[in-house]
Amino acid sequence: MAAHRRRPATVRAAVLLVLAWMGILGATAALLAAVVVPRLAGATPYAVLTSSMEPTLPPGTLVVARPVATGDIGVGDVITYQLSSGRALTATHRVTAIEQRLDGERSFVTQGDANAAADPEPVRPVQVRGELWYAVPYLGYAHRWLTGAQRATLTLVIVGGLSVYALAMFAGAWRDRARSRPVSR
């Protein structure tokens, strides 16, 4: 009868352990996708705020744009660009045409996948921030809510928490191993 009473506690502990690992793996994956990989690759994360690129990139998607030579941009590529040169506000749309201006500069006609018409102004090369590298659904909401300083703090908290957890697991394994060794006399 005592073993029967222990079983639910053991099952509950196993479920909690699985949930904890899922949380840890999810936080690690989000941290890698939103902060570490873009920083190492020189890319920049952006949050999709509107439905102009649905269904490909719905609102709340985190898009990571990597630097690209404007000569390598082709029709069909998805680019992130400044709406006005020198301003922080950006958009992520698909290139539908490439135009050659009279002065020899290329410009890009862009359009959101869900929009009926092309964007009103062509995008100049100086406005291009990068080409879509990858996108992560829903992670853009967190990216939008947190400031740069808050993201840095959260990154440190997650890394610190994972480090403490790893140390606790190693210490527990070392303790269990030391207890299981036979005592020689």
Side-chain angles (χ1 to χ4, degrees):
M1 194 73 152
H4 185 315
R5 287 184 186 178
R6 286 185 190 175
R7 178 169 270 157
T10 305
V11 170
R12 199 171 322 138
V15 168
L16 288 175
L17 183 63
V18 167
L19 291 175
W21 273 106
M22 287 174 55
I24 289 168
L25 292 174
T28 302
L31 182 66
L32 286 171
V35 179
V36 177
V37 172
R39 182 164 288 183
L40 291 176
T44 306
Y46 298 94
V48 175
L49 304 177
T50 68
S51 59
S52 67
M53 282 297 288
E54 283 189 318
T56 310
L57 302 170
T61 300
L62 178 82
V63 295
V64 176
R66 64 179 172 199
V68 62
T70 55
D72 294 339
I73 296 173
V75 172
D77 291 342
V78 176
I79 60 171
T80 298
Y81 59 93
Q82 295 172 321
L83 291 175
S84 297
S85 185
R87 305 264 172 121
L89 193 59
T90 60
T92 300
H93 284 168
R94 191 172 307 279
V95 175
T96 58
I98 299 173
E99 298 175 341
Q100 191 79 24
R101 294 179 14 169
L102 292 176
D103 64 1
E105 183 180 71
R106 293 173 56 161
S107 63
F108 306 98
V109 177
T110 56
Q111 180 176 340
D113 289 354
N115 295 348
D119 297 333
E121 294 292 322
V123 177
R124 296 177 47 226
V126 71
Q127 294 172 265
V128 176
R129 299 291 106 209
E131 180 181 27
L132 176 67
W133 186 21
Y134 64 89
V136 183
Y138 308 111
L139 201 51
Y141 290 122
H143 179 78
R144 184 174 166 212
W145 292 329
L146 300 173
T147 66
Q150 290 171 330
R151 280 193 295 274
T153 301
L154 183 61
T155 300
L156 291 174
V157 167
I158 291 173
V159 168
L162 290 173
S163 299
V164 167
Y165 181 74
L167 286 172
M169 295 303 292
F170 283 125
W174 180 77
R175 184 189 68 233
D176 292 345
R177 187 172 173 200
R179 284 183 185 167
S180 67
R181 287 188 191 151
V183 179
S184 58
R185 293 182 192 204

